[in-house]
């Protein structure tokens, strides 16, 4: 079918929902082992023409699937689990959210001041590395610092990633607990006050630095070339404390090329450090700069509130036609947003598969039409990631609900 | 809510034996309400005494000295002495639970009963509850910090708070992490560390002041107060809501009258109503008002809007509610918003994406609530993300940025430096007050607690003068 264009959306969505959207797994996820839970979940639809319908909820998987096929939303958002089914919201007096996953949203536009390759909605393999680092740093912190186990990482369809933390105890977090975790993982940047951790670097940030370091030089100075231009140098100097700003500029301008400039700056700074002519609170400036450029830039308000909505996995981004696919954070280095399947690609793949099997069946006389449609496409990999994530949750739920055997 | 509010006056009877069991410790978590009888006059006296204690704390906390520091403490103690609040002075300065005398027990009783009386007086609105909670928390913290030796552990045990320090082996194992991740000055080997669920110390966690591993925070003994007072704050919040719900059951006029009077004694102003007297604010004058009468936070947002014809969500909320508070009418506000935003986007997009919030802020759609403009406390504590322009500039901006901005607004260099130094020390509201003085050329009598109060004192004062 060729390239995806926005006009094709309306034509292809019905097919997507009827044949490709993994309704069953989606239902299994939001049920967490109990159909009662699914009924209390707010799902909201955005229909063609930016018509936004909030507080939808569904009785069963069939009900949900039917409505999806009927309305063909261009976007599905997931909200909180409420004390009553959200669709009856107006009839209930004390209607309110009770549980929700802890979510994180990282968007490439927040990196516009540190990336030179693209801006706005564009992304390329160079700036995608910011997302790779964000994913690695955040995933490690959530696991090690907070002991969370069930993270679902999802490509947001255009230029960012989402993370859903789905542990049982996390879903019950109060706004205060969400805020504590979110701000712990949030580092302020220039223009505002600098990161300043004084003479000590918190263990969590130290871990982030170990993750960032192997990428840093290649990414920032070769690919982003942030010290290559006059403007770049000026921007960089704003993050250097006043007392050594002028000398730093001289040092930077003494050589050509981004990477070389970074190297002379580091040497210069270390020499000053050794002579102990750097005030104690600035002694970690190099580490600070690394975090300033590469530490995950969270849209913190999304994480803080229990009732904030976030786009569901497996939605199709209307502008790019790309599916918001889950991915494995362990192999995020290999994830390339450019190869994320689009609606048109998926339809082509199904057709091609059907065409081939039809020919084979004609030849062999065997009927193999029972195969699920998504298995015929490049969506298979991400659905497998999703299924693995589900199995882990379900295994844990089973263990918890099973009464402990008596000991003799 | 049996407060022993007996309709007949009775002489108080004190039974020391009972008191001993009731009050085993100087510091009280106030989980059990008093159930003895008390005369109306004592009821009133105790309420007023505690209110005075809390007011001293409120006053002290506005001073430009470190809260709970020596200077701050001395000021509080001197004031308590001056105002003859001896019982409270005794109970605050006491070291805990060893060998209490008859006087100690009387002080404990007064502390207990007066707390519950004020709970009733201050449970009736969000503003009142917040004020009361903040003060009681200061009082609790001060008292906890004064506890010495074994009385800390005794207090924890009496109140079923099971916190025990980690053993030396564990501390040695985590040596490096604890040194790197614990805020404040301390010597590791002389400091006990407590392993607590991270949700017990949300403030320490979110400011990255403690080592966190597998969901547990390792807090040094000097931060134990943060942990315990956070638990206290939670129970107090819940109890205030509970009291609020039970309040209508209290049908004694004399007591209600007293509680109401205490309530009136609180003077914080609510800016949620569009004041009819003020509503001569015209859109065309906003630029001038911004220059002359806005606090820095709002002036910056206004100028950002004028320059970019767009604001991020946090900014939009903070500014819209402020505009509502200074008396800009809904229709005018919508027009102003439309004029600015449609310089970048088309009318259709504006209607779809941006008009809703204006309606929402003025309580026209959604839950139809009349939202209050943000106070300084709210603005200061709000977190500000990348590229966002809202929040309190004295807190958010680097001191050089702040200084340059102030000078560009025509402040003299030494004044700009003075303000940015105040801001750097964390005295954001005092810095704001100074900004008022240097731009309005008159003394700022009240501490700035609200951007709308700032506007009122600047613009409203002129209007009032004209009127007179």
């Amino acid at each position: 079918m060729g390239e995806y264009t926005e006009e094709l959306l309306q034509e292809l969505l019905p097919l997507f929902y009827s044949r490709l959207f993994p309704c069953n797994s989606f239902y299994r996820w939001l049920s967490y082992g109990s159909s009662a839970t699914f009924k209390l979940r707010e799902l909201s639809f955005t229909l063609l023409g930016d018509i936004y319908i909030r507080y939808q909820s569904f009785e069963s998987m069939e009900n949900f699937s039917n409505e999806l096929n009927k309305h063909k939303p261009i976007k599905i958002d997931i909200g909180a689990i409420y004390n009553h089914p959200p669709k009856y919201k107006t009839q209930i007096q004390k209607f309110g959210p009770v549980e929700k996953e802890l979510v994180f949203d990282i968007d490439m536009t927040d990196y516009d001041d540190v990336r030179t390759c693209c801006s706005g909605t564009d992304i390329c393999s160079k700036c995608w590395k910011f997302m790779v680092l964000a994913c690695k740093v955040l995933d490690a912190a959530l696991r090690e610092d907070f002991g969370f186990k069930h993270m679902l990482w999802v490509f947001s369809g255009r230029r960012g990633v989402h993370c859903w933390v789905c542990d049982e105890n996390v879903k019950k977090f109060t706004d205060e607990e969400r805020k504590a975790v979110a701000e712990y993982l949030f580092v302020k940047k220039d223009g505002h006050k600098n990161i300043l951790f004084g003479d000590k670097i918190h263990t969590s940030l130290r871990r982030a630095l170990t993750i960032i370091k192997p990428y840093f030089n290649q990414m920032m100075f070769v690919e982003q070339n942030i010290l290559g231009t006059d403007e770049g140098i000026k921007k960089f100097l704003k993050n250097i404390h006043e007392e050594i700003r002028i000398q730093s500029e001289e040092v930077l301008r003494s050589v050509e090329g981004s990477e070389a400039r970074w190297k002379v700056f580091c040497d210069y700074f270390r020499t000053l450090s050794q002579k102990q002519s750097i005030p104690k609170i600035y002694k970690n400036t190099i580490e600070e700069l690394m975090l300033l450029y590469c530490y995950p830039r969270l849209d913190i308000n999304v994480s803080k509130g229990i009732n904030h909505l976030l786009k569901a996995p497996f939605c199709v981004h209307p502008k790019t036609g790309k599916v918001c696919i889950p991915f494995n954070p362990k192999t995020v280095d290999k994830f390339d947003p450019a190869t994320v399947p689009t609606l048109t690609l998926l339809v082509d793949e199904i057709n091609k598969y059907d065409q081939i099997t039809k020919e084979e069946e004609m030849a062999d006389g065997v009927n193999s039409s029972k195969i699920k449609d998504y298995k015929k496409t490049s969506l298979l990999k991400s659905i497998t990631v999703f299924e693995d994530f589900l199995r882990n949750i379900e295994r844990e739920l089973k263990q918890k609900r099973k009464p402990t055997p008596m000991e003799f | 809510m049996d407060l022993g509010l007996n309709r007949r006056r009775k002489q108080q009877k004190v039974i020391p034996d009972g008191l001993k069991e009731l009050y085993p410790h100087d510091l009280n978590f106030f989980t059990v309400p008093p159930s003895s009888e008390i005369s109306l006059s004592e009821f009133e006296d105790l309420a007023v005494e505690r209110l005075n204690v809390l007011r001293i704390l409120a006053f002290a906390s506005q001073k430009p000295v470190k809260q709970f520091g020596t200077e701050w403490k001395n000021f509080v103690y001197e004031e308590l002495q001056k105002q003859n609040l001896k019982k409270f002075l005794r109970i605050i300065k006491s070291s805990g639970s060893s060998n209490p005398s008859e006087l100690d027990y009387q002080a404990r009783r007064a502390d207990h009963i007066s707390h519950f009386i004020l709970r009733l007086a201050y449970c009736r609105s969000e503003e009142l509850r917040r004020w009361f909670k903040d003060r009681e928390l200061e009082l609790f913290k001060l008292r906890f910090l004064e506890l010495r030796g074994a009385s800390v552990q005794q207090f924890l045990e009496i109140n079923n708070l099971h916190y025990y320090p980690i053993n030396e082996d564990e501390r040695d194992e985590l040596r490096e992490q604890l040194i790197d991740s614990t805020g404040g000055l301390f010597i590791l080997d002389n400091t006990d560390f407590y392993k607590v669920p991270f949700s017990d110390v949300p403030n320490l966690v979110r400011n990255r002041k403690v080592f966190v591993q597998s969901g547990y925070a390792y807090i040094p003994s000097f931060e134990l107060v943060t942990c315990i007072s956070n638990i206290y704050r939670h129970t107090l919040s819940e109890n205030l809501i509970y009291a609020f719900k039970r309040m209508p059951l209290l049908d004694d006029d004399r007591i209600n009258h007293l509680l109401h009077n205490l309530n009136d004694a609180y003077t914080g102003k609510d800016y949620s109503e569009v004041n009819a007297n003020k509503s001569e604010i015209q859109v065309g004058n906003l630029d001038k008002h911004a220059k002359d009468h806005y606090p820095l936070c709002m002036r910056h947002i206004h100028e950002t809007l004028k320059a970019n014809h767009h604001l991020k969500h946090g900014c939009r909320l903070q500014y819209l509610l402020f505009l509502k508070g200074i008396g800009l009418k809904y229709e005018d506000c919508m027009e102003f918003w439309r004029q600015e935003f449609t310089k970048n986007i088309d009318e259709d997009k504006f209607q779809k994406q941006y008009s809703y919030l204006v309606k929402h802020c003025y309580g026209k759609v959604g839950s139809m609530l009349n939202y209050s403009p943000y106070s300084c406390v709210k603005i200061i504590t709000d977190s500000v993300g990348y590229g966002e322009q809202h929040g309190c500039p004295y807190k958010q901006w680097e001191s050089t940025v702040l200084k340059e901005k102030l000078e560009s607004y025509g402040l003299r260099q030494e004044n700009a430096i003075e303000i940015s130094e105040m801001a750097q020390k964390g005295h954001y509201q005092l810095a704001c007050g100074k900004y008022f003085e240097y731009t309005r050329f008159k003394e700022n009598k009240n501490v700035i607690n609200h951007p709308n109060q700032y506007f009122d004192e600047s613009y409203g004062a002129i209007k009032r003068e004209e009127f007179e």
Side-chain angles (χ1 to χ4, degrees), chain A residues 49-50 94 110 143-148 173-174 176-177 179-181 183-195 197 200-207 238 242 245 295-301 304, chain B residues 176-184 186 198-199 202 205-216 230 233-234 312 352-353 381-388 394-398 400-401 403 423-424 428:
Chain A
D50 276 341
K94 280 178 186 158
D110 286 327
R143 278 175 212 280
E144 292 172 31
D145 296 350
F146 292 99
F148 303 152
F173 272 4
T174 58
E176 191 181 36
E177 286 164 301
K179 193 172 161 193
V181 178
E183 294 197 358
Y184 175 87
L185 298 167
F186 177 81
V187 163
K188 287 214 171 129
K189 63 150 208 165
D190 59 347
H192 298 124
K193 272 178 193 160
N194 280 354
I195 304 167
F197 23 65
K200 297 195 292 193
I201 303 178
H202 193 277
T203 311
S204 183
L205 298 179
R206 241 181 227 294
R207 184 192 322 103
K238 276 191 189 158
E242 276 175 318
R245 203 174 279 164
Y295 192 85
R297 300 185 165 188
L298 305 176
D299 182 347
I300 194 169
N301 291 321
K304 280 191 327 196
Chain B
E176 210 178 301
Q177 288 94 318
L178 291 176
I179 290 175
D180 279 348
S181 308
T182 310
F186 64 99
F198 87 90
S199 41
V205 170
R206 77 194 175 94
N207 293 317
R208 249 179 271 118
K209 286 264 191 277
V210 285
F211 172 58
V212 184
Q213 181 175 277
S214 302
Y216 287 93
N230 186 49
R233 188 169 58 85
H234 273 287
K312 291 207 174 191
K352 265 187 193 145
Q353 290 190 5
T381 49
D382 250 9
S383 44
V384 178
Y386 305 107
E388 291 188 305
Y394 304 103
K395 183 184 176 196
Q396 299 298 341
W397 297 358
E398 221 189 317
T400 43
V401 177
K403 210 178 76 208
Q424 199 144 42
Y428 313 126

Side-chain angles (χ1 to χ4, degrees), chain B residues 75-225:
Chain B
F75 172 81
V76 172
Y77 294 153
E78 275 166 30
E79 282 298 311
L80 288 171
Q81 191 78 49
K82 251 190 250 167
Q83 298 192 24
N84 209 18
L85 297 160
K86 287 196 193 105
K87 278 184 200 141
F88 287 93
L89 191 60
R90 169 180 284 272
I91 203 152
I92 293 170
K93 283 183 91 169
S94 80
S95 59
S97 53
S98 55
N99 297 324
S101 67
E102 173 73 31
L103 277 173
D104 285 317
Y105 280 121
Q106 288 305 333
R108 289 177 191 184
R109 176 178 167 275
D111 171 48
H112 183 217
I113 295 175
S114 62
H115 168 88
F116 275 90
I117 299 172
L118 288 202
R119 243 192 221 185
L120 292 179
Y122 277 81
C123 70
R124 278 171 298 174
S125 79
E126 183 55 40
E127 280 296 294
L128 290 173
R129 285 196 291 269
R130 187 178 307 143
W131 186 88
F132 179 66
K133 221 157 51 189
D134 287 351
R135 301 292 86 76
E136 282 287 335
L137 219 67
E138 283 163 1
L139 184 58
F140 181 85
K141 271 191 193 168
L142 174 61
R143 292 168 65 179
F144 191 89
L145 289 168
E146 292 283 346
L147 295 183
R148 291 287 167 266
S151 60
V152 174
Q153 207 60 42
Q154 275 167 8
F155 173 76
L156 296 180
E157 273 160 30
I158 290 168
N159 291 290
N160 284 322
L161 299 162
H162 303 292
Y163 294 110
Y164 302 101
I166 58 172
N167 61 37
E168 270 177 43
D169 291 346
E170 197 173 355
R171 193 173 62 189
D172 280 341
E173 209 175 290
L174 298 173
R175 209 173 177 83
E176 210 178 301
Q177 288 94 318
L178 291 176
I179 290 175
D180 279 348
S181 308
T182 310
L185 289 172
F186 64 99
I187 298 163
L188 187 74
D189 292 309
N190 298 343
T191 312
D192 275 334
F193 279 84
Y194 294 76
K195 180 179 171 182
V196 308
F198 87 90
S199 41
D200 283 355
V201 283
N203 282 332
L204 294 177
V205 170
R206 77 194 175 94
N207 293 317
R208 249 179 271 118
K209 286 264 191 277
V210 285
F211 172 58
V212 184
Q213 181 175 277
S214 302
Y216 287 93
Y218 290 73
I219 61 169
S221 47
F222 57 85
E223 296 283 16
L224 195 59
V225 61

